Amino acid sequence: MIGFDETFEKQCGEYLAYLYGLAERHYNDCADIDALVQDTIAVLVVKVRHGERVEYPKGFLAAVLKNKYNAWLREKYKAELVEYSDGVFTEGYDAFAEQEEAEHKNGEYESVRREIGRLIRIYREVIVRHYVHGQTVEQIANALGIPRGTVLSRLSKARDQIKEGLENMEKYSQISYEPKTASIGIWGSSGLSSEPFSLLRSDIEANLLYLAYEAPVSVRGIADTMGMPCAYLEPIIDVLVKGELMGRTPGGLVYTRCFVQRYENAFGDIPAQEALAEKYASRVWDIVWKHLEPLTKHDDFAMMSEKQKATMLLFIMNQMLGNVLHKSRPDEGNTPNQPPERPNAGRWLATVTVYEHGQETTIPYDGSGPVIVNYRPNDDGKNLCQMFDCQSLFGDAHWAYGGFKYKCSLRSILRFYASFLPCDVKTDNNLLYELIPEFEKLHILKRDADGEIRLDIPALPYTEVMQYWNPVCEELKKELFALLSDDLRSLWAKTKNRVPGHVDEAEYFVHAGAMGAYVKAQLLAIVNQKLLPYPVVVGETPLIYISYRKKEI
């Protein structure tokens, strides 16, 4: 209990510190905390000067501070005047009613703040400066370097949008609570920081690309659909625009620059492709074996295990059939010779495949690659090693690396693999040795009879590849194209996508997804008909191949 004596003024300093702490913790949305605290301490001073005694001063001050804050809220929202309490529950005082009313007002204020968060940057900035920080129109104009009339116009539009938002709070679509997911593939080569793969960091980016695909849209429209504030979406959109997965119109609308397809539309007519694969399995294999059988007698191939030999043949067929498939597209003559240049040394066209919330990826031909990784330690343009890594039904590869205990770049993984070969490449991450059991599960590494770890995927020296395999593969492609092109063109023509004009190289994607199953279906048909001279275990034969510069002895 205190009275007005010589110690009171000293105690006021303590009470002020207490009130400021309380206000900053619970009422920091008030535009003028100083006034809130000073008005509160003044009530105590007046009481004490009039000779009244306060039993519990901090409790009293807390109650007055809350009343002052509620008064500020009511004034802000033009509500009824507050009923003050002196900290003692007098007869007729309804604490529950006041708490309920305060919570209601707080809820209204939170709704306004949520709508402010939805405003795009140019409107949000002026509304926050004016109403939250109390800046005048002139101060805002000077700070932002814009005319006074522009500030007034933006304030007016911001208020209209806030009002509209408060009147219609049920804007969120299903995407807001069941977001879509996506994966990305490219034609070409990624940037130095793995762009565009590194740009698709979460479901947020996936849904942004999906929502802005059909036509340019406003950021606020996206925010309303996703149920997220513009303040959080704008930096993400800026990154996507800079990375060229998205673009922005002069008027501020945003649009998707890559091709977007639904997962279920990414493979075309699967039964028709499987039928074609069965029809041609024997003839395709005869052509392949005619060209490659002489190369299997070379020392580097002959020293491989049967599993490595099978992988090498499957990999070559995968590459050759992929080339033939691409060349047989109806629009092949109109496609760009190479993908466009991108930031950070990339050169690519991207396809984003969208999955519904919780959608199972049950199509067996789902996969990606080959992802091509080079290791070039010097600036002389010479690779020491190169990896082609395919994710497919034949075995897990780069998709599985993300589940490892340690996150490693594909270049580090390539160097780790190459360290088991007779070349001048050493691993740059010794933690990978701890992951050897994981690579064994993927059937990429194995232990020999002596317990030594060996590479269990095919690898050939550059000299062997350049002198023998590449020339043979060129002849192989020509003969396979002559055999398959007519039937492939017929299947290609069955799919014709409507691609928005703002998509980069839109014409290239008109037939995208029409033949997403054929290449793997053809390999599977050859394996199932037991045409290969080596055994293949589907699911345990990842299609990974390494070429390397052999160490000079």
Side-chain angles (χ1 to χ4, degrees):
M1 184 171 70
I2 65 170
F4 194 79
D5 54 30
E6 65 278 359
T7 64
F8 177 62
E9 290 188 12
K10 295 181 180 179
Q11 290 173 324
C12 280
E14 176 188 343
Y15 297 145
L16 281 171
Y18 167 73
L19 286 171
Y20 272 111
L22 201 63
E24 288 173 359
R25 285 195 303 273
H26 300 291
Y27 311 121
N28 60 8
D29 54 354
C30 179
D32 194 348
I33 286 181
D34 286 330
L36 199 64
V37 170
Q38 296 295 338
D39 288 350
T40 299
I41 199 74
V43 173
L44 178 64
V45 171
V46 169
K47 272 185 171 291
V48 173
R49 285 183 182 232
H50 283 82
E52 299 181 42
R53 304 187 75 79
V54 180
E55 194 76 24
Y56 301 104
K58 287 189 176 180
F60 170 82
L61 288 169
V64 174
L65 183 66
K66 180 178 179 181
N67 285 334
K68 294 288 183 184
Y69 173 73
N70 288 337
W72 174 78
L73 275 182
R74 287 177 171 83
E75 178 63 22
K76 184 174 180 64
Y77 294 103
K78 302 189 184 302
E80 298 176 1
L81 294 175
V82 297
E83 177 182 355
Y84 284 98
S85 164
D86 63 359
V88 179
F89 292 152
T90 57
E91 186 177 352
Y93 175 76
D94 189 342
F96 293 106
E98 177 171 322
Q99 181 180 0
E100 184 176 281
E101 186 176 358
E103 288 178 354
H104 174 68
K105 294 301 180 184
N106 279 331
E108 289 182 350
Y109 185 46
E110 288 302 316
S111 296
V112 171
R113 288 207 298 186
R114 182 169 56 247
E115 289 305 312
I116 290 174
R118 284 176 166 178
L119 297 172
I120 64 172
R121 186 180 292 116
I122 60 172
Y123 298 136
R124 186 176 68 249
E125 192 168 35
V126 295
I127 209 83
V128 169
R129 284 175 177 270
H130 189 61
Y131 289 105
V132 177
H133 299 303
Q135 294 182 6
T136 66
V137 171
E138 287 74 15
Q139 287 173 324
I140 296 171
N142 291 334
L144 299 182
I146 57 178
R148 183 177 185 275
T150 302
V151 175
L152 291 171
S153 174
R154 290 180 182 180
L155 284 171
S156 176
K157 289 180 180 178
R159 286 192 294 266
D160 289 343
Q161 290 183 22
I162 290 172
K163 181 180 178 182
E164 179 189 353
L166 291 172
E167 291 173 352
N168 182 17
M169 296 295 291
E170 300 300 325
K171 294 181 179 180
Y172 299 165
S173 77
Q174 185 178 356
I175 281 178
S176 68
Y177 56 87
E178 288 188 345
K180 300 180 188 297
T181 57
S183 61
I184 188 169
I186 66 170
W187 170 44
S189 55
S190 57
L192 295 176
S193 298
S194 298
E195 299 92 349
F197 302 102
S198 57
L199 300 176
L200 202 67
R201 295 174 293 186
S202 69
D203 289 348
I204 296 175
E205 287 86 355
N207 286 274
L208 286 170
L209 294 171
Y210 176 78
L211 290 171
Y213 181 65
E214 293 295 338
V217 293
S218 68
V219 176
R220 181 178 172 85
I222 293 176
D224 287 342
T225 303
M226 293 178 66
M228 290 183 66
C230 289
Y232 288 95
L233 289 177
E234 285 169 332
I236 299 173
I237 290 173
D238 289 344
V239 171
L240 292 175
V241 170
K242 183 178 179 181
E244 299 190 359
L245 280 180
M246 295 189 82
R248 184 179 280 116
T249 70
L253 302 182
V254 294
Y255 56 90
T256 300
R257 293 178 58 174
C258 58
F259 176 64
V260 176
Q261 63 183 355
R262 294 178 180 272
Y263 173 71
E264 57 272 22
N265 297 331
F267 300 92
D269 185 342
I270 292 177
Q273 293 171 74
E274 290 176 330
L276 187 67
E278 288 293 328
K279 171 184 174 182
Y280 281 107
S282 180
R283 280 180 281 178
V284 167
W285 172 251
D286 287 343
I287 292 173
V288 169
W289 191 238
K290 178 182 72 175
H291 286 280
L292 297 186
E293 193 270 341
L295 300 182
T296 64
K297 305 192 184 312
H298 292 199
D299 290 345
D300 290 289
F301 186 92
M303 290 188 295
M304 294 182 187
S305 68
E306 288 200 335
K307 185 251 187 184
Q308 289 173 303
K309 292 175 180 178
T311 302
M312 188 68 197
L313 296 180
L314 287 171
F315 174 81
I316 293 296
M317 285 191 286
N318 182 76
Q319 295 299 95
M320 298 304 100
L321 289 168
N323 182 276
V324 168
L325 185 66
H326 180 80
K327 189 178 177 182
S328 66
R329 290 171 57 125
D331 56 355
E332 196 273 337
N334 298 322
T335 59
N337 293 326
Q338 58 181 342
E341 291 185 10
R342 303 292 185 176
N344 212 13
R347 186 182 280 276
W348 46 264
L349 285 174
T351 296
V352 169
T353 303
V354 174
Y355 308 82
E356 295 298 325
H357 181 76
Q359 183 176 14
E360 294 185 7
T361 55
T362 56
I363 297 174
Y365 305 110
D366 197 5
S368 71
V371 175
I372 304 172
V373 188
N374 299 304
Y375 174 54
R376 182 185 302 131
N378 303 314
D379 295 329
D380 58 5
K382 294 181 178 179
N383 287 328
L384 284 188
C385 53
Q386 184 177 45
M387 175 173 68
F388 299 81
D389 184 310
C390 302
Q391 175 70 37
S392 73
L393 76 164
F394 287 97
D396 286 327
H398 54 268
W399 283 2
Y401 302 154
F404 285 174
K405 178 181 178 181
Y406 304 116
K407 304 302 180 187
C408 306
S409 69
L410 287 174
R411 189 167 283 106
S412 287
I413 288 175
L414 167 59
R415 291 183 62 176
F416 179 65
Y417 292 165
S419 69
F420 294 95
L421 297 171
C423 61
D424 285 318
V425 177
K426 294 181 173 58
T427 184
D428 64 344
N429 189 343
N430 288 325
L431 291 175
L432 286 166
Y433 288 104
E434 296 182 31
L435 300 178
I436 284 176
E438 300 300 319
F439 289 112
E440 288 183 278
K441 290 177 185 177
L442 295 178
H443 308 280
I444 295 171
L445 298 179
K446 72 172 184 178
R447 296 183 185 275
D448 62 17
D450 298 323
E452 294 292 322
I453 292 294
R454 304 293 183 193
L455 204 60
D456 200 24
I457 53 177
L460 288 174
Y462 281 132
T463 51
E464 175 79 7
V465 173
M466 299 297 291
Q467 186 173 356
Y468 301 108
W469 289 80
N470 284 354
V472 167
C473 285
E474 289 301 315
E475 296 303 315
L476 175 56
K477 280 190 291 189
K478 293 176 184 177
E479 198 163 341
L480 288 175
F481 182 79
L483 173 68
L484 300 168
S485 58
D486 288 343
D487 281 346
L488 291 176
R489 285 195 181 101
S490 177
L491 285 182
W492 272 117
K494 286 188 175 183
T495 298
K496 192 169 185 179
N497 305 306
R498 189 193 72 78
V499 185
H502 53 256
V503 171
D504 292 348
E505 304 289 351
E507 290 298 318
Y508 174 78
F509 296 103
V510 169
H511 296 283
M515 297 293 287
Y518 169 69
V519 172
K520 298 305 183 293
Q522 187 65 81
L523 297 185
L524 190 61
I526 290 170
V527 169
N528 288 341
Q529 292 184 29
K530 301 187 184 303
L531 298 174
L532 269 75
Y534 314 110
V536 175
V537 179
V538 175
E540 298 181 7
T541 315
L543 304 185
I544 306 176
Y545 154 70
I546 294 177
S547 55
Y548 63 96
R549 193 169 302 282
K550 205 166 189 177
K551 184 190 299 185
E552 295 182 6
I553 301 176

